[in-house]
Amino acid sequence: MNTTTTMASPRLTSLSRGAGCGCKIPAADLHALLGELKLPRDERVLVGIDTGDDAAAIRLSDDLALVQTVDFFTPIVDDPYAFGAIAAANALSDVYAMGGTPLSALSILAFPLERLGGEILKSILDGALDVLGEAQTPLVGGHSIEDPEPKFGLAVTGTIDPGHMLVNTGGRDGDALVLTKPLGTGAIATMAKHGEVPPELLARAVEVMSTLNRTASACALQAGAHAATDVTGFGLLGHLHAIARESGLCAQVRAEAVPVLPGVEQLLAREQAISGGTRRVAEWAATFTNFSPDVAQWRRWLLADATTSGGLIVAVPADRASEVPGHVFGTLTGGPAGIIDVG
Ligand code: CO
Ligand code: CO
């Protein structure tokens, strides 16, 4: 890397207002707007906008459907290579969360080329290409525009067996809930922006965010999972709510069983670590979440942590939960649809 260029350039995260999936439009606002749209009916569309699933599925034949998803965001870290890698893992994740196999990717790039220079742009793409290579997914094109605020992501196309999709509506009463990556990356990225995170903690968060959900997805399918989604900008509570609501069930969560990155408890004790995105999730989640009084405040923030490239929440028959790599943190049960009880 050209160090001179890097030194002269502003920090990547200083150019963005939100960071990573934390810059999503608030779920409540988005759902209200989408509810007013007249969406065309098409019987080839197996999964569309209405169920809040991770990706769309379009039937091509009886045993083959196309999966399509797009994800892009502002820099979550200053290291351009890591930003690209995280953005790629995050975009691919929505295909894995459906139980699909990624096929190809297109890049979406907004970048102030004159201000930041080509080296940084190349590093972002290098990071993305390495992760796409790991996922055996060729980058086949893209689109880029000049923009003072950098943004990067991918539109990913994949394939799926329509009879084995991990959709939000599939959860069943008694399913165990497994989370396949620890939470806390939102708080770490937020504090890193303030320059208040030890380098090894940030490195661990980057590693978690760059990790593909491929193995988790394959294990979930193998274990006969009924539903899955990935944890991103709406936090664990927001994404779990979608599964519970669409499955017509409620969720019981054991706060202390939710895996968390080391050092995050200390970060979440500080106001500064709670991003605007996390606050909006917490506010929205309060409309469907009941916390037992003994759940610590930092764990409440953790469950709302606006996450980038998080793990999968998998709803799986309880006796097969150990086949999914991760931690069992709760169950789906009969009760008011979409309500989450946290104890
Ligand atoms: Co998703
Ligand atoms: Co997405």
Side-chain angles (χ1 to χ4, degrees):
M1 186 185 291
N2 181 334
T3 329
T4 323
T5 314
T6 313
M7 296 285 286
S9 303
R11 294 172 59 201
L12 270 187
T13 57
S14 74
L15 300 175
S16 67
R17 287 155 293 133
C21 291
C23 59
K24 280 172 91 137
I25 289 179
D29 299 340
L30 191 61
H31 291 156
L33 289 168
L34 291 180
E36 289 173 18
L37 293 179
K38 281 195 193 66
L39 298 168
R41 286 270 136 220
D42 187 321
E43 61 181 24
R44 292 168 301 176
V45 178
L46 304 176
V47 180
I49 294 178
D50 42 343
T51 52
D53 268 287
D54 298 285
I58 301 94
R59 186 190 292 280
L60 296 178
S61 67
D62 283 349
D63 56 0
L64 184 67
L66 212 58
V67 190
Q68 291 184 300
T69 178
V70 57
D71 251 299
F72 67 101
F73 45 67
T74 55
I76 172 112
V77 290
D78 289 317
D79 176 355
Y81 179 90
F83 173 42
I86 292 165
N90 182 71
L92 288 160
S93 175
D94 278 331
V95 173
Y96 293 129
M98 301 289 286
T101 305
L103 184 69
S104 64
L106 300 166
S107 67
I108 296 144
L109 176 78
F111 196 76
L113 185 60
E114 211 165 289
R115 182 153 185 221
L116 292 184
E119 280 299 312
I120 291 180
L121 172 50
K122 193 177 159 289
S123 290
I124 293 173
L125 293 171
D126 278 341
L129 283 168
D130 281 352
V131 169
L132 285 169
E134 199 189 328
Q136 288 153 313
T137 305
L139 182 71
V140 293
H143 187 79
S144 49
I145 60 165
E146 273 284 343
D147 188 339
E149 185 184 51
K151 298 164 190 87
F152 178 69
L154 299 165
V156 182
T157 300
T159 54
I160 199 165
D161 175 351
H164 293 92
M165 297 194 296
L166 301 173
V167 288
N168 283 350
T169 51
R172 298 195 197 159
D173 188 353
D175 275 352
L177 294 166
V178 180
L179 180 63
T180 68
K181 285 184 187 179
L183 293 184
T185 58
I188 293 171
T190 301
M191 286 304 262
K193 211 173 158 169
H194 298 296
E196 296 194 38
V197 164
E200 61 279 7
L201 185 51
L202 181 59
R204 178 78 183 104
V206 167
E207 185 192 329
V208 167
M209 291 187 282
S210 311
T211 299
L212 292 175
N213 280 327
R214 176 176 49 182
T215 306
S217 174
C219 293
L221 283 174
Q222 190 68 36
H226 298 133
T229 193
D230 57 351
V231 178
T232 57
F234 301 149
L236 179 85
L237 291 175
H239 294 284
L240 176 57
H241 171 65
I243 287 188
R245 183 190 66 220
E246 296 303 324
S247 301
L249 297 168
C250 76
Q252 311 291 329
V253 169
R254 289 189 324 261
E256 291 181 11
V258 173
V260 55
L261 283 164
V264 170
E265 177 178 356
Q266 291 73 17
L267 292 185
L268 284 173
R270 301 177 56 185
E271 279 287 302
Q272 267 190 309
I274 323 296
S275 67
T278 297
R279 282 179 201 281
R280 287 192 291 274
V281 170
E283 207 172 289
W284 171 55
T287 63
F288 53 77
T289 307
N290 304 312
F291 284 102
S292 147
D294 38 279
V295 176
Q297 183 57 48
W298 76 271
R299 287 195 195 275
R300 297 177 190 221
W301 285 125
L302 181 73
L303 298 184
D305 194 44
T307 299
T308 299
S309 197
L312 299 185
I313 298 171
V314 181
V316 58
D319 58 338
R320 303 196 62 182
S322 61
E323 295 172 46
V324 182
H327 292 78
V328 176
F329 69 93
T331 41
L332 290 177
T333 59
I339 295 297
I340 302 176
D341 294 318
V342 184

